[in-house]
């Protein structure tokens, strides 16, 4: 099991009710971690659901869901930012 820090931003943070948490996971990729969080149900499932636009950063670098998830990583989930 890996211990990682998961951070939530903007509307995802509001829905989940926390800015960050430490998670123990067996997930090998960012996508697998997202699936584990969705499986919790409730606000996690609603805000991280498949089909919703969610960006993921791994150690402060935007990453694809296929990226490998190392131990002690920091993963951030946030909605796409629109400007104007």
């Amino acid at each position: 099991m890996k211990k990682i820090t998961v951070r939530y931003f903007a509307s995802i943070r509001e829905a989940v009710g926390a800015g960050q948490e430490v998670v123990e996971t067996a997930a090998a990729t960012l996508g697998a971690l997202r699936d584990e969080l969705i499986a919790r149900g409730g606000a996690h499932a609603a805000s991280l659901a498949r089909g919703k636009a969610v960006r993921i950063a791994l150690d402060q670098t935007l990453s694809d869901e296929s990226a490998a998830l190392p131990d002690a990583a920091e993963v951030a989930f946030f909605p796409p930012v629109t400007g104007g």
Side-chain angles (χ1 to χ4, degrees):
M1 294 291 273
K2 303 171 203 167
K3 190 176 283 191
I4 60 163
T5 300
V6 179
R7 300 187 71 192
Y8 306 103
F9 291 93
S11 59
I12 298 172
R13 179 185 64 229
E14 292 170 16
V16 171
Q20 76 176 41
E21 64 179 316
V22 175
V23 174
E24 287 193 13
T25 180
T29 65
L30 293 178
L33 174 65
R34 183 178 179 180
D35 289 337
E36 282 185 11
L37 294 172
I38 290 169
R40 289 181 174 182
H44 286 87
S47 59
L48 298 173
R50 294 292 171 189
K52 289 197 99 163
V54 175
R55 300 260 186 196
I56 306 173
L58 174 61
D59 294 327
Q60 301 182 4
T61 301
L62 278 178
S63 300
D64 185 87
E65 288 196 15
S66 64
L69 182 61
D71 190 27
E74 177 188 82
V75 177
F77 291 95
F78 52 97
V81 177
T82 58

